[in-house]
């Protein structure tokens, strides 16, 4: 028969795809025996976890391979998502939910005498990202699959992801993240699909066989990119998309030249340097790292991705002039912006396309997402570094720029300022390539990540591009996946939603709006409170285990978790804590809602002020938590090692979500959405997506404070002087004075000096200006929390109005407004669908 190309036809309960509890149990035992090579008596928890993971992976394979086949069809349009970071979080729980096999698997695990919760907890999460940007890429991969959009994510398989954080004596310590050390059951390497990537060397001109003058690049070194594929299943659909992460290896493990002259060490050395490229994730969030290796990483994965896309396209029998019909490639920030030059190089140098046609194809293929306006995060590379690593690409960028500037000179005759602003090259200090300009010019669309942010992009960094190409800059407000951030993180809340309105909300989050009427139902409110109380109790237990601090689940959980950064203003939260502490010391009988302040977040290892902010939080906590006159009324906890797993515990346990960045600095935020979806009320500035959250939940359900973006600009323009706030606000003065006295530093009045001095004499993020407004707002919150029925009402209304912030909606926005791509449901190939037991 001809069935060889098809998925296995399943007649009986196949050991690898069957879903009865009995079959799952047998598969688990088989995998332990045949893959882990262990008898149950000697197997570790990790062995059992791996056996379970393989059991689940097998059940994804028919869908995964069918999805890949769909994607290869010439007429199917495909989205590729190019991102230096994918902060995925654990796979197992998400896969069970999306495949709809949680129940039988749980039962099979239980009947095998194993603890399901323990196995889930065993998974080491792939921390291949820093924060919001990487997590967004992960949510988008999941929603692309759930929306049945054929897609490939391209990135780097870092051997070491974001460091693990430990807190010692209140200071952050970084520990290497060895996430691969006990095996990764979710990836499949494909060495047969490896590609070669060049670096350095020189370029030369030549005349081709048609007599045309051409350029070619003679790289000084070559590195092999090996793809590792990870399946990303959509929610209850056949689509299982691929995340393709590249590992760098030496082209030859041995340099035989060196080997033959007896230099064994030198022979292996080139292998080591090649592999450095995918060794470690740069741990900077919102901060440029101008190192050569970082540019090598960016070029490496971008070049691997584009070669892979061209291979797929040509394999379907089509020509490269239709490349932009087959693919749209989204650049997640400027990290892959060298794609503009690399695609031009591939089309022109390697595939002999004419410049103008290649430029049209490039511009119609690429699209760019801007994630930041912070000057310290805007990527630029010195011409000398760029030219030595990518000489041909620099020539191409110069050529693109020359043609662009020629056009612009005609358009803006006497406006050198315009030309300088639009140029791909910054002429200062020996010259730089501006990656945001390169990405903007080489793309067919640019988008910001929240309504306010997109408007600010148009008004500030890309103002001149906006004027030149009206309509090119759009907005796609970020979103998060409700499968991970509600169903997996908060199963009780998910069960309540499903009990009341069915489970359609998991596909279409807007449906939770139907629950709004329940805000007036006292029984529902009581149930709502009980759910929150239970999760807070679980978090309290975890806090006690991790830190030894006992906190009361009856206090308000006031939570600030995100990367530590001055613009995010963790220290403003601390000023509030000290204010409350001083009030309680002055008036021990003060009636106030007890609060537990919970912080979490990693600081970039080279960011001294952020590390000092962690020490500040822990030091203030040390004093307050041990002050017997305070008791349960104030507790301050810094929970180490904020990551996705940690987030799944923390977001659902919050009463209050702190979103307190200086207006205009946070592009969108996604933590704000996760909190809100889980019933936390927000205290926030008019920044990022807070603006849209507030619009939807209503002014009465959002605790707003602080300067607006215009207010910030006006105050800066009028000559901001933070010292004036210190001298004119006695409460603020008392707080700062207490810190400066060394009270929280065992008498050391120098420890926090850098922090207080920066506030008093510079204060670029305007904490001093926003302090009083923040305190007043917190006082209103304290009062509102005292009335629990009222608070529950606000909490319910707030949560059920979050429908918009599903990443499914964001992906639909991209499909409609940018990518022009439609769902392509996956057809299972000669596969008995009833065996999968899934909705198709
Ligand atoms: C959501 C998330 C972020 C982003 O948080 P923001 O508050 O938007 O900065 C960062 N890290 C992790 C692990 C997350 O889950």
């Amino acid at each position: 028969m001809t069935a060889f190309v098809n998925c296995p036809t399943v007649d009986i309960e196949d050991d690898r795809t069957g879903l009865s509890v009995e079959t799952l149990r047998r598969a688990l035992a088989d995998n332990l025996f045949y893959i882990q090579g262990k008898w149950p008596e000697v197997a570790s928890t990790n062995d059992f976890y791996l056996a379970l993971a393989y059991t689940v992976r097998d059940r994804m394979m028919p869908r995964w391979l069918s999805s890949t086949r769909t994607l290869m069809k010439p007429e199917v349009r495909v989205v590729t998502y190019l991102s230096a970071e994918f902060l995925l979080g654990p796979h197992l729980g998400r896969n069970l939910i999306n495949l709809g096999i949680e129940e039988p698997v749980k039962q099979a695990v239980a009947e095998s005498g194993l603890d399901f919760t323990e196995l889930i907890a065993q998974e080491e999460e792939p921390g291949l990202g820093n924060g919001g940007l990487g997590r967004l890429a992960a949510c988008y991969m999941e929603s692309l699959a759930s929306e049945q959009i054929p897609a490939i994510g391209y990135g780097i398989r870092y051997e070491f992801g974001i460091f693990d954080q430990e807190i010692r004596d209140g200071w952050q310590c970084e520990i290497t993240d060895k996430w691969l050390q006990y095996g990764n059951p979710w990836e499949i390497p494909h060495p047969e699909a490896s590609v070669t990537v060049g670096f350095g060397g020189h370029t030369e001109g030549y005349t081709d066989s048609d007599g045309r003058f051409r350029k070619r690049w003679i790289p000084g070194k070559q590195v092999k990119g090996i793809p590792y594929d990870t399946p990303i299943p959509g929610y209850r659909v056949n689509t299982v998309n691929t995340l393709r992460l590249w590992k760098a290896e030496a082209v030859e493990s041995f340099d035989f030249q060196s080997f033959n002259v007896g230099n064994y060490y030198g022979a292996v050395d080139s292998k080591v340097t090649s592999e450095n490229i995918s060794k470690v994730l740069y741990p900077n969030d919102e901060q440029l790292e101008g190192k050569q290796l970082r540019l090598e990483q960016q070029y490496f994965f971008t070049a691997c991705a584009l070669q892979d896309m061209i291979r797929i396209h040509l394999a379907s029998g089509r020509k490269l002039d239709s490349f932009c019909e087959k693919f749209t490639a989204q650049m997640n920030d400027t990290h892959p912006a060298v794609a503009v030059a690399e695609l031009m190089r591939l089309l022109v140098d390697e595939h002999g396309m004419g410049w103008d046609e290649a430029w049209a194809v490039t511009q119609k293929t690429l699209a760019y997402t801007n994630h930041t306006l912070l000057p310290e995060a805007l990527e630029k590379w010195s011409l000398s570094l760029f030219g030595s690593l990518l000489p041909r690409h620099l020539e191409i960028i110069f050529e693109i720029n020359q043609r662009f500037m020629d056009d612009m000179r005609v358009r803006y005759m006497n406006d050198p300022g315009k030309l300088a602003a639009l140029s791909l090259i910054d002429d200062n200090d020996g010259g730089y390539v501006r990656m945001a300009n390169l990405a903007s010019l080489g793309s067919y669309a640019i988008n910001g990540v929240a309504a306010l942010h997109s408007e600010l992009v148009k008004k500030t960094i890309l103002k001149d591009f906006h004027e030149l190409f009206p309509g090119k800059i759009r907005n796609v407000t970020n979103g998060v996946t409700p499968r991970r951030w509600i169903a997996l993180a908060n199963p009780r809340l998910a069960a309540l939603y499903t009990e009341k309105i069915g489970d359609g909300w998991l596909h279409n989050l807007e449906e939770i709006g139907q629950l709004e009427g329940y805000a007036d139902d006292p029984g529902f409110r009581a149930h709502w409170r009980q759910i929150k109380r239970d999760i807070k109790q679980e978090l309290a237990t975890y806090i006690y285990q991790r830190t030894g601090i006992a906190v009361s689940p009856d206090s308000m959980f006031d939570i600030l978790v995100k990367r530590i950064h001055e613009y995010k203003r963790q220290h403003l939260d601390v000023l509030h804590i000290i204010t409350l502490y001083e009030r309680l010391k002055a008036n021990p009988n003060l009636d106030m809602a007890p609060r537990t302040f919970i912080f979490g977040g990693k600081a970039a290892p080279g960011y001294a002020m952020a590390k000092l902010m962690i020490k500040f939080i822990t030091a203030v906590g040390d004093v307050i938590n041990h002050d017997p006159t305070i008791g349960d009324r104030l507790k301050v906890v810094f929970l180490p090692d904020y990551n996705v797993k940690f987030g799944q515990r923390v977001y659902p346990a919050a009463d209050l979500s702190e979103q307190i960045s200086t207006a205009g600095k946070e592009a969108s935020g996604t933590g704000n959405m996760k909190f809100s979806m889980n019933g936390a009320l927000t205290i926030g500035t008019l920044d990022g997506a807070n603006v849209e959250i507030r619009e939807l939940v209503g002014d009465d359900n959002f605790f707003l404070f602080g300067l607006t973006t215009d207010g910030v600009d006006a105050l800066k323009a009028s000559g901001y002087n933070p010292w004036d706030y210190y001298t004119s606000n006695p409460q603020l003065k008392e707080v700062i004075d207490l810190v400066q006295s060394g009270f929280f530093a065992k008498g050391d009045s120098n420890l926090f000096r850098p922090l207080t001095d920066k506030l008093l004499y510079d204060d670029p993020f305007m904490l001093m200006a926003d302090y009083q407004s923040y305190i007043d707002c917190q006082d209103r919150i304290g009062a509102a929390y005292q009335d629990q029925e009222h608070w529950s009402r606000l909490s319910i209304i707030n949560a059920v109005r979050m429908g918009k912030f599903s990443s499914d909606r964001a992906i639909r926005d991209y499909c409609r407004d940018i990518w022009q791509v439609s769902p392509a449901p996956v057809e299972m190939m000669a596969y008995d669908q009833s065996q999968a037991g899934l909705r198709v």
Side-chain angles (χ1 to χ4, degrees):
M1 288 280 292
T2 57
F4 77 100
V5 288
N6 293 325
C7 296
T9 308
V10 183
D11 0 63
I12 45 151
E13 275 272 310
D14 177 298
D15 215 28
R16 305 199 93 159
T17 53
L19 290 168
S20 75
V21 173
E22 182 47 37
T23 305
L24 287 164
R25 214 164 66 85
R26 197 173 61 233
L28 198 55
D30 278 1
N31 287 338
L32 186 70
F33 191 86
Y34 289 109
I35 300 184
Q36 289 314 104
K38 289 280 179 83
W39 298 108
E41 309 84 276
V42 295
S44 65
T45 305
N46 198 60
D47 290 322
F48 287 118
Y49 157 71
L50 289 171
L52 177 58
Y54 287 118
T55 304
V56 173
R57 192 181 89 177
D58 280 347
R59 278 141 188 88
M60 248 181 323
M61 292 312 284
R63 284 189 176 72
W64 192 12
L65 298 191
S66 299
S67 299
T68 302
R69 185 189 289 214
T70 300
L71 178 150
M72 303 286 289
K73 288 185 189 165
E75 72 279 10
V76 170
R77 183 161 162 82
V78 175
V79 174
T80 62
Y81 199 80
L82 274 53
S83 180
E85 303 186 9
F86 288 92
L87 188 48
L88 297 168
H91 290 281
L92 179 55
R94 189 267 326 270
N95 289 346
L96 292 176
I97 287 182
N98 286 10
L99 295 171
I101 61 175
E102 215 182 355
E103 280 319 308
V105 166
K106 268 186 180 165
Q107 213 178 321
V109 167
E111 288 184 15
S112 305
L114 298 167
D115 180 343
F116 181 75
T117 318
E118 196 186 338
L119 296 191
I120 288 275
Q122 182 65 29
E123 182 171 352
E124 181 97 47
E125 72 173 77
L128 310 185
N130 273 286
L133 174 148
R135 183 53 232 173
L136 184 76
C139 282
Y140 282 180
M141 285 306 295
E142 200 267 357
S143 281
L144 279 161
S146 295
E147 291 293 314
Q148 305 183 76
I149 307 295
I152 307 171
Y154 285 114
I156 300 173
R157 180 180 175 274
Y158 300 105
E159 185 178 341
F160 304 115
I162 187 68
F163 62 85
D164 295 332
Q165 180 193 55
E166 282 185 12
I167 302 296
R168 293 190 196 144
D169 188 30
W171 295 96
Q172 167 175 296
C173 297
E174 299 94 24
I175 315 288
T176 313
D177 165 45
K178 304 198 189 91
W179 71 290
L180 290 167
Q181 71 180 328
Y182 299 116
N184 173 10
W186 304 108
E187 66 183 10
I188 296 183
H190 284 286
E192 76 286 0
S194 295
V195 300
T196 305
V197 177
F199 291 96
H202 62 277
T203 67
E204 60 186 27
Y206 69 103
T207 307
D208 71 11
S209 51
D210 299 332
R212 284 192 300 171
F213 180 76
R214 304 267 296 270
K215 272 302 203 48
R216 68 180 158 220
W217 177 25
I218 316 295
K221 149 176 133 175
Q222 298 208 309
V223 174
K224 192 159 64 173
I226 301 173
Y228 281 67
D229 289 355
T230 300
I232 309 289
Y235 178 72
R236 310 287 164 95
V237 291
N238 283 335
T239 305
V240 177
N241 282 331
T242 297
L243 174 61
R244 177 159 270 198
L245 302 178
W246 301 88
K247 176 180 194 282
E249 278 193 10
V251 177
E252 291 286 345
S253 311
F254 280 93
D255 172 350
F256 280 100
Q257 196 87 40
S258 302
F259 192 66
N260 289 338
V261 298
N263 183 3
Y264 176 80
Y265 187 86
V268 182
D269 195 42
S270 93
K271 179 171 164 65
V272 172
T273 46
S274 298
E275 295 187 353
N276 274 344
I277 292 176
S278 56
K279 189 65 69 180
V280 57
L281 168 76
Y282 276 101
N284 307 329
D285 187 66
E286 305 274 357
Q287 213 172 347
L288 177 66
E289 179 74 71
K291 297 270 166 60
Q292 170 162 334
L293 184 59
R294 172 73 175 170
L295 182 57
E296 288 178 23
Q297 289 185 337
Q298 297 186 347
Y299 177 62
F300 169 70
F301 89 87
T302 304
C304 289
L306 288 171
Q307 284 188 57
D308 200 48
M309 288 159 65
I310 287 178
R311 179 188 57 77
I312 290 171
H313 187 60
L314 296 179
S316 73
R318 297 180 76 186
K319 299 238 162 44
L320 283 175
D321 57 3
S322 62
F323 186 70
C324 51
E325 291 163 25
K326 175 70 184 177
F327 285 112
T328 176
Q330 192 66 34
M331 300 186 283
N332 195 25
D333 211 315
T334 55
H335 313 144
V338 67
V340 176
E342 172 68 358
L343 185 51
M344 285 300 287
R345 189 190 69 81
L346 289 167
L347 295 174
V348 174
D349 293 2
E350 306 267 331
H351 293 276
M353 195 182 274
W355 181 278
D356 292 330
E357 193 187 358
W359 182 238
V361 169
T362 298
Q363 268 193 325
K364 283 186 213 160
T365 302
L366 300 172
Y368 156 52
T369 304
N370 173 281
H371 281 270
T372 187
L373 305 171
L374 297 181
E376 62 270 32
L378 287 176
E379 292 199 299
K380 53 180 195 172
W381 295 102
S382 76
L383 296 182
S384 60
L385 171 58
F386 203 100
S388 70
L389 202 63
L390 301 170
R392 179 60 184 139
H393 298 78
L394 189 58
E395 284 177 3
I396 289 171
I397 289 169
F398 282 148
E399 175 78 30
I400 294 170
N401 200 41
Q402 173 140 25
R403 290 165 183 247
F404 180 45
M405 288 292 110
D406 286 348
D407 286 351
M408 291 306 102
R409 264 184 289 277
V410 174
R411 186 184 170 113
Y412 296 115
M413 265 184 285
N414 290 319
D415 194 345
K418 265 279 186 279
L419 296 182
L422 286 165
S423 174
L424 306 188
I425 307 299
D426 172 348
D427 280 328
N428 295 305
D429 311 326
Y432 294 92
V433 183
R434 292 167 165 158
M435 302 311 272
N437 289 31
L438 177 63
S440 298
L441 185 63
S443 294
Y444 68 90
I446 302 166
N447 76 283
V449 289
L452 173 68
H453 170 68
S454 298
E455 288 311 306
L456 292 174
V457 169
K458 290 182 203 166
K459 279 194 210 144
T460 61
I461 54 161
L462 298 181
K463 176 170 177 287
D464 302 292
F465 281 93
H466 176 54
E467 186 184 297
L468 185 59
F469 307 114
K472 186 167 179 176
I473 303 178
R474 338 231 167 121
N475 175 247
V476 179
T477 299
N478 283 171
V480 301
T481 166
R483 274 75 62 181
R484 184 176 293 279
W485 295 110
I486 302 177
L488 197 55
N490 201 344
R492 294 182 190 86
L493 185 68
L496 175 65
Y497 285 173
T498 298
E499 176 198 319
K500 298 293 183 198
I501 57 169
D503 63 4
W505 62 273
L506 281 150
H507 279 288
N508 179 14
L509 192 61
E510 299 275 2
E511 289 181 17
I512 60 175
Q514 297 162 17
L515 289 156
E516 189 157 336
Y518 285 108
D520 296 323
D521 175 343
F524 188 88
R525 287 201 300 266
H527 192 163
W528 188 266
R529 270 196 302 281
Q530 188 58 45
I531 289 173
K532 184 65 83 180
R533 177 71 170 59
D534 290 346
I535 308 170
K536 285 168 73 179
Q537 178 63 64
E538 282 171 14
L539 184 61
T541 305
Y542 179 74
I543 288 172
Y544 188 72
Q545 286 165 357
R546 281 306 289 256
T547 67
I549 304 168
V551 305
S552 165
D554 294 317
S555 62
M556 181 203 300
F557 278 18
D558 176 339
I559 306 190
L560 204 177
V561 290
K562 48 182 78 237
R563 285 298 289 247
I564 312 291
H565 206 296
E566 287 162 280
Y567 87 79
K568 293 180 184 271
R569 301 200 294 191
Q570 279 88 358
H571 43 344
L572 181 59
D573 196 336
V574 183
L575 297 183
H576 173 234
I577 296 170
I578 299 172
T579 305
L580 292 181
Y581 181 61
E582 286 183 330
R583 278 190 200 160
L584 282 171
K585 294 305 274 185
N587 178 5
N589 298 319
L590 187 71
D591 177 36
M592 62 164 275
R595 288 207 204 204
T596 300
F597 293 90
I598 299 167
F599 292 85
K602 293 173 185 175
Y607 187 176
M609 189 61 86
K611 290 182 136 177
L612 187 60
M613 286 162 74
I614 293 177
K615 177 64 179 173
F616 187 42
I617 296 165
T618 55
V620 169
D622 272 348
V623 170
I624 295 180
N625 298 340
H626 294 113
D627 186 330
T629 67
I630 299 298
D632 272 349
R633 289 188 296 175
L634 290 184
K635 283 275 186 279
V636 183
V637 176
F638 189 94
L639 263 175
D641 207 30
Y642 172 52
N643 57 18
V644 175
K645 258 185 176 178
F646 169 118
Q648 288 173 206
R649 289 178 181 278
V650 169
Y651 290 113
D655 294 303
L656 185 64
S657 155
E658 298 270 353
Q659 305 300 334
I660 61 178
S661 52
T662 315
K665 300 293 181 191
E666 187 74 86
S668 163
T670 48
N672 45 5
M673 302 167 188
K674 299 172 209 164
F675 275 117
S676 228
M677 271 179 197
N678 282 284
L681 294 172
T682 305
I683 178 166
T685 47
L686 276 183
D687 201 15
N690 293 356
V691 176
E692 290 153 83
I693 291 176
R694 179 164 173 269
E695 257 163 34
L696 285 162
V697 302
D699 303 0
D700 300 340
N701 296 292
F702 187 102
F703 296 100
L704 180 70
F705 78 98
L707 293 166
T708 60
T709 4
D710 288 342
V712 166
D713 291 344
L715 187 52
K716 288 230 162 124
S718 72
Y720 176 53
N721 186 358
W723 182 262
D724 294 344
Y725 295 84
Y726 171 75
T727 51
S728 65
N729 185 333
Q731 192 176 237
L732 175 56
K733 180 168 188 305
E734 221 183 291
V735 168
I736 299 278
D737 288 349
L738 189 64
V739 176
Q740 289 199 320
S741 74
F743 180 79
F744 297 108
K746 304 195 167 83
D748 178 356
S749 58
N750 287 321
L751 182 60
F752 298 119
R753 234 346 123 165
L755 210 149
T756 49
D757 279 354
K758 193 156 183 193
L759 294 183
L760 291 173
Y761 305 114
D762 185 11
D763 196 18
F765 300 105
M766 306 187 115
L767 281 80
M768 304 296 278
D770 275 347
Y771 169 81
Q772 194 55 52
S773 165
Y774 182 57
I775 298 295
D776 294 342
C777 189
Q778 287 284 16
D779 289 343
R780 292 198 298 280
I781 291 166
Y785 194 74
Q786 302 269 38
D787 179 351
Q788 282 287 297
E789 289 296 339
H790 170 61
W791 186 271
S792 302
R793 235 186 137 265
L794 300 185
S795 163
I796 293 165
I797 292 172
N798 167 71
V800 304
R801 290 187 184 173
M802 283 300 106
K804 166 175 169 183
F805 300 102
S806 167
S807 42
D808 298 344
R809 185 274 312 151
I811 288 299
R812 288 193 292 265
D813 286 356
Y814 271 108
C815 289
R816 188 191 57 238
D817 299 340
I818 296 181
W819 300 331
Q820 306 293 310
V821 55
S822 331
V826 167
E827 219 178 290
M828 299 295 287
M829 309 293 173
Y831 180 73
D832 182 347
Q833 295 176 348
S834 68
Q835 291 302 318
L838 304 174
R839 198 175 73 74
V840 286

